Each structure stands twice: as C-alpha cells, then as structure tokens.
C-alpha cells in the first residue's frame, strides 16, 4: 500500500463528513466516487462540495482550473459495487451504528483485494470490532476527520491490534497527501481527541451548573487564558448537546465515572435544548 500511488478512492456515506472527505480526496488528485443509499444525500453533498470550492476560489486559495479539475474527478453513485470497483482506498462515513459498519466492512472485505486500504471515520466505535468483520482485518484502520473536513487539519489515524504497519503508514501518508496533519492513536475509547475534548467540556458544564461563572466567562477563560479558538460550552452548542451526551455516556461506560454526564447536560437534552441546531443550548442562538 503506497499512498502516493493511490489513484482511485471510494467514500461511503455522503453526509456531513462523507462529502467533505470526498472533497479533499478529489482535490488531492484521486478519482473519487461518493456512495450513499440516498440520492438526496448525494445531491446535497455534491452541492456542498461545489459551494466550498467556490468559496476557496473567491478567497484565492485555489484557481478556477483546480476547482473544475476537482469536480471532474468526483462522481456520485447509489451503487456500492460500482463505487468500489478497482479502488485503492475506501473511507467509510455512514451513521455511527456498529451493526451498520460491521455489515458494510464484511461486504467490502470479501469484495476487495487484500491490498486495498479500508478506513472508518467513526468517532467513537471500537475499530477492532469493525476490522474483525472484514476479510483481511490487517488493512483496516481509523481515519478520524474533523468537521468541516476541507478546513480542519487534524486526522487521527487509529490503529487496532490487528492493523498492519503498512496500513497505518499508508493512512498517515494519505492524510499528508490530503494536506492534513495526522496523529497515530491506539484504538482506545474516545481515541485522543474526543476523550480530551469531552473531559474539558464536561468540567466546563459542571462549573456552569455550580454557578462558578457564566457560560460566556467560562469560555472566555479558555479562549484568552489558554488560546483555545473557541470555549468548551460554545463548542458543545455547535457539536450538539445530544451528540456530546451520547459520547459522554459511552466514555463513562468504557472509562468510568469521570465521564458521567452532568445533570445540566441531561436536563437540557431532555428539554430539547440541543445547541445551535435547536436555537438554544448553553447560549441563545435565536438572536
Ligand atoms: P450524517 O448522518 O451526516 O451522514 C451519514 C450518511 O450516510 C447519510 O447521508 C446517509 O444517507 C448515509 N447512509 C446511511 N446508511 C448508509 C449505508 N448503508 N451506506 C452508505 N451510506 C449510508 O453523518 P456524519 O455526521 O457525516 O457522520 C458519519 C460518520 O462520521 C459517523 O461515524 C460519525 O460518528 C463520524 N464523525 C462525525 C463527525 C461530525 O462532526 N459530524 C466528526 C467526525 C466523525
């Protein structure tokens, strides 16, 4: 597996993450097929890639010719067989459900040669179990991208006990080819990013709950005192309180009480205060 000689990629799932992953693959020169079970998701994903590339042209980050060449390398399909035919790498970004991912990796593993890199963009599921479902689990790794994919620099390359050194190196090199900064992490709950990010977020919520300071001032402490680009409570509003609650519950089960979700988080989710998407979370977004 050589990232620099990879020519063709398939991305499975065209949602928030999948369309962004397809964007950066196509921009890096790979012929990229974006697959989804829903045609509407493909149309929406492709429209977002177009719009993000247009913004890049406006900001002079890429030329019109580069935008057009990127779009020419990107195609969409609802046919899984057509999407994966002859590919060098598959990156999966379907919904966060273990049974869905294991089923898909089972199908992929038997359909693709042993030297095709298979990566999952899961943010919390055990990749070791996803790999176990595939033929040749040694070529399965995590490639955990961040939203919005075309702007965020980090890729967590997650290795399982069965991942080969070759597959990990190929995923690292591919991340670099995509213009990203990879880190290599063992398949541990929450990897590196979610575990640390949630730990800080939950502590900020406990401080808010105890009346230590307002949400604005807790966030300002981290932005001005520690150089965070955004405070942990505002970030929670953007990610979605429901999403962070389910990650915290998962980490509490796996790693213990220190990840137990604070009552304020449970109460807000029960009231439908899910953050920016619902108009209110720790901040009021309606104004
Ligand atoms: P999403 O709901 O926006 O998109 C998922 C897409 O998968 C949808 O378009 C859906 O139609 C499609 N889909 C459903 N079943 C499918 C199947 N069998 N085959 C192909 N496509 C199918 O989800 P998302 O936010 O893009 O998340 C995708 C993955 O990325 C999840 O594992 C998630 O945990 C992970 N992730 C998400 C974020 C984020 O900020 N949203 C960040 C990092 C990782």
């Amino acid at each position: 597996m050589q990232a620099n000689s990879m020519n063709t990629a398939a991305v499975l799932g065209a949602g928030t993450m999948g369309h962004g992953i397809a964007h950066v693959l196509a921009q890096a020169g790979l012929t990229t097929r974006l697959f989804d079970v829903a045609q509407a998701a493909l149309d929406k994903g492709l429209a977002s890639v177009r719009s993000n590339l247009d913004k890049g042209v406006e900001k002079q980050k890429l030329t019109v010719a580069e935008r057009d060449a990127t779009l020419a390398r990107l195609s969409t399909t609802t046919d899984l067989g057509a999407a994966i035919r002859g590919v060098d790498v598959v990156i999966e970004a379907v919904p966060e459900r273990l049974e869905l991912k294991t089923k898909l990796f089972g199908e992929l593993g038997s359909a693709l040669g042993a030297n095709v890199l298979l990566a999952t963009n899961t943010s919390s599921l055990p990749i070791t179990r996803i790999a176990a479902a595939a033929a040749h689990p040694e070529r399965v790794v995590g490639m955990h991208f961040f939203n919005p994919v075309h702007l965020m620099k980090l890729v967590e390359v997650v290795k399982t006990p069965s991942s080969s050194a070759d597959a990990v190196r190929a995923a690292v090199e591919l991340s670099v080819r995509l213009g990203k900064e990879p880190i290599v992490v063992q398949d541990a709950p929450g990897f590196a990013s979610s575990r640390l990010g949630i730990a800080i977020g939950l502590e900020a919520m406990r401080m808010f709950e105890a009346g230590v300071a307002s949400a604005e001032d807790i966030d300002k402490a981290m932005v001005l005192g520690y150089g965070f680009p955004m405070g942990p409570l505002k970030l929670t509003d953007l990610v979605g309180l429901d999403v962070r609650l389910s990650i915290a519950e998962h980490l509490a089960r796996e790693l213990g009480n220190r990840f137990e979700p604070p009552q304020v988080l449970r109460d807000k989710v029960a009231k439908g205060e899910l953050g920016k998407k619902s108009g209110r979370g720790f901040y009021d977004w309606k104004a």
Side-chain angles (χ1 to χ4, degrees), residues 262-282:
Q263 196 56 43
V264 66
L265 179 60
R266 292 194 185 282
D267 291 347
K268 280 183 175 292
V269 171
K271 280 192 283 183
E273 294 181 9
L274 306 182
K276 191 176 180 190
K277 62 189 171 188
S278 72
R280 175 177 273 281
F282 289 97

Side-chain angles (χ1 to χ4, degrees), residues 146-148 152 154 193-202 204-205 215-216 218-220 222-223 228-245 247 265 273-277 280-283 285:
F146 291 77
N147 180 23
M152 297 293 279
L154 181 64
S193 59
S194 303
R195 184 162 163 179
L196 275 177
I198 289 284
I200 292 171
L202 295 180
M205 290 174 212
E216 288 81 354
I218 291 168
D219 277 350
K220 210 182 259 185
M222 299 315 284
V223 172
F228 280 30
M230 185 185 293
L233 296 173
K234 185 176 271 185
L235 180 62
T236 299
D237 273 12
L238 292 188
V239 171
L241 275 67
D242 51 337
V243 175
R244 289 211 122 178
L245 175 59
I247 298 173
L265 179 60
E273 294 181 9
L274 306 182
K276 191 176 180 190
K277 62 189 171 188
R280 175 177 273 281
F282 289 97
Y283 289 80
W285 292 89

Side-chain angles (χ1 to χ4, degrees), residues 37-184:
V37 286
Q39 183 62 46
L42 291 170
D43 295 343
K44 188 168 170 224
L46 191 57
S48 299
V49 174
R50 238 188 230 118
S51 151
N52 290 331
L53 285 167
D54 285 344
K55 281 185 205 135
V57 171
E58 268 166 43
K59 291 184 179 160
Q60 301 190 332
K61 287 186 175 165
L62 77 165
T63 64
V64 168
E66 283 165 341
R67 175 198 64 192
D68 293 347
T70 300
L71 287 171
R73 282 190 287 268
L74 180 58
S75 60
T76 63
T77 178
T78 53
D79 178 344
L80 180 61
I84 63 173
R85 193 166 304 131
V87 293
D88 301 303
V89 52
V90 178
I91 304 181
E92 167 277 311
V94 304
E96 190 75 338
R97 297 207 311 270
L98 186 60
E99 74 288 355
L100 180 60
K101 294 188 193 261
T102 48
K103 181 171 174 286
L104 204 49
F105 274 71
E107 287 167 20
L108 292 174
S110 46
L112 294 169
N115 58 349
V116 176
L117 181 66
L118 301 185
T120 170
N121 184 50
T122 177
S123 31
S124 63
L125 297 173
I127 298 174
T128 307
R129 287 186 55 193
I130 297 173
H136 305 291
E138 68 277 7
R139 43 59 184 277
V140 177
V141 293
M143 285 183 77
H144 183 207
F145 290 83
F146 291 77
N147 180 23
V149 178
H150 67 294
L151 299 179
M152 297 293 279
K153 279 282 179 195
L154 181 64
V155 176
E156 270 183 303
V157 173
V158 184
K159 61 176 179 181
T160 78
S162 52
S163 304
S164 69
D166 207 26
V168 173
R169 189 181 31 73
V172 164
E173 286 171 4
L174 179 61
S175 305
V176 172
R177 187 172 164 195
L178 302 181
K180 304 299 181 197
E181 294 267 357
I183 60 171
V184 178

